[in-house]
Amino acid sequence: MNPTRREFSVLAATSLLGLNAFADTYPSKPVTIVVPQAPGGTNDTVGRILAQKLGELSNQRVIVDNRPGAGGNIGTDFAARAPKDGYTLLLTISSTQAINPALYKKVPFDPVKDFEPIAPVGVVPNVLVVNASFPAKNLAEFLKVAKASKEEIQYASAGNGSLNHLLGAMLSTSTGVPLQHVPYRGVAPALTDVMGGQVPVAFASLPSCIEFIKSGKLRALGVSSAKRSPALPDVPSISEVVPGYVGDLWVGLFASRGTPAPVVTKLSQWVAAAVAAQDVQERFKVAGVEPLTGGPTRLAQLLQEDIVRWAPIVKASGAVVD
């Protein structure tokens, strides 16, 4: 026998009460934040700062679980399949969530349908850096040197199809300057070879290279954000020389699709409080991360915008990963 309208109402009310009761006691055990990149990178740095503050706000232990591999796909897929209870979250970067679906022939997750957006956390520019002995002292000089070079200037990236790779392809397309991509297995070995002189140029996230820039081991020619970074105020935006050139990396927190709305709301509020905290902002600044505010709607918007932005750039670059 089919339930009556009144019985449906009772069932709905009971379900809502159950969700609210669950949210009231959440979290009652440690929370895990999956970071689908290796320790030491941008996302890992942000994740550890955020986890500490969320632990303070929730009065519960928050653990960072690094699950790197396949450009972030392994950890992202793991988080997508996690129980829908808010105890396993995903802290990811725009390149994994928005670029990988266009880059990989087969992606084991849907970046939109498999996740509940919680909140954006921060935004990170990439930096065009050169070996300290490179003749160009600024971006205009770099473009002049590159155009005059008899051979394509090589630039290193964190891997084929990575944001660093695509930023180089976009610079080449935007300026008509031919650049030869040299992929590495991560940004650390790429920067090591740039500093060692094996490759003269690289794009790298600001947190991964800021200390090398400050120590003089690398020279920064420009940042990929629309405006200058507070962490490197003397380094111009690439868009000051190449109009319209913008390519930031955002960091956002997600839960698996179906996580109760009251839990998502509570987490979003905690993230907002964490990002607004002075000690977090100070640590972000040192790392070259700019706080990014907004709730689930804002994060969903950022994701959709980047999926649309990067798909044609990936296609034009010819980058494909099996």
Side-chain angles (χ1 to χ4, degrees):
M1 186 172 65
N2 293 328
T4 65
R5 182 179 298 178
R6 183 176 184 279
E7 287 171 330
F8 268 127
S9 298
V10 171
L11 287 171
T14 301
S15 177
L16 182 60
L17 287 171
L19 289 176
N20 287 333
F22 179 80
D24 287 342
T25 60
Y26 173 87
S28 58
K29 60 181 181 181
V31 175
T32 296
I33 294 179
V34 174
V35 170
Q37 286 80 32
T42 298
N43 199 24
D44 180 65
T45 299
V46 173
R48 293 183 186 281
I49 295 172
L50 181 65
Q52 181 179 343
K53 182 55 67 173
L54 289 181
E56 296 172 6
L57 294 168
S58 66
N59 293 315
Q60 186 57 262
R61 188 182 178 200
V62 180
I63 304 163
V64 172
D65 180 12
N66 295 90
R67 289 180 177 264
N73 288 345
I74 291 176
T76 304
D77 183 48
F78 175 83
R81 300 175 187 276
K84 309 174 190 307
D85 55 10
Y87 284 97
T88 301
L89 307 175
L90 173 71
L91 186 73
T92 191
I93 50 180
S94 52
S95 56
T96 296
Q97 206 75 357
I99 295 176
N100 281 8
L103 174 66
Y104 285 79
K105 288 185 177 180
K106 187 176 181 180
V107 177
F109 60 88
D110 187 298
V112 176
K113 295 180 180 179
D114 288 344
F115 295 95
E116 300 282 359
I118 294 173
V121 178
V123 63
V124 180
N126 269 254
V127 190
L128 176 61
V129 294
V130 295
N131 178 279
S133 63
F134 194 84
K137 298 295 188 289
N138 55 55
L139 180 57
E141 289 182 6
F142 170 80
L143 295 176
K144 185 177 180 179
V145 169
K147 286 180 180 179
S149 177
K150 295 180 180 180
E151 297 181 350
E152 292 182 346
I153 290 182
Q154 294 182 326
Y155 75 97
S157 82
N160 189 35
S162 64
L163 181 58
N164 334 98
H165 170 197
L166 298 179
L167 287 169
M170 188 163 63
L171 182 63
S172 180
T173 301
S174 301
T175 62
V177 172
L179 299 172
Q180 182 182 358
H181 175 229
V182 182
Y184 282 78
R185 291 182 178 273
V187 69
L191 291 177
T192 296
D193 271 12
V194 173
M195 288 184 285
Q198 284 80 9
V199 181
V201 183
F203 274 94
S205 65
L206 181 51
S208 67
C209 64
I210 189 169
E211 292 305 320
F212 300 129
I213 294 170
K214 290 182 176 180
S215 67
K217 294 179 180 179
L218 292 172
R219 182 185 305 126
L221 301 184
V223 295
S224 66
S225 49
K227 59 182 181 179
R228 300 190 181 201
S229 169
L232 294 175
D234 295 330
V235 178
S237 165
I238 293 174
S239 63
E240 294 178 31
V241 178
V242 185
Y245 185 100
V246 179
D248 287 333
L249 180 82
W250 50 255
V251 180
L253 188 66
F254 294 82
S256 55
R257 178 68 69 178
T259 299
V263 172
V264 171
T265 298
K266 180 177 282 190
L267 285 166
S268 179
Q269 292 170 344
W270 280 335
V271 171
V275 170
Q278 184 175 353
D279 58 333
V280 169
Q281 293 195 1
E282 289 174 352
R283 294 177 69 185
F284 273 9
K285 184 176 181 180
V286 170
V289 179
E290 295 181 42
L292 190 59
T293 58
T297 301
R298 177 58 176 149
L299 182 54
Q301 179 186 10
L302 289 170
L303 176 58
Q304 290 287 2
E305 288 174 352
D306 268 11
I307 289 174
V308 172
R309 174 184 296 117
W310 289 110
I313 297 175
V314 171
K315 185 176 181 180
S317 75
V320 178
V321 180
D322 291 331

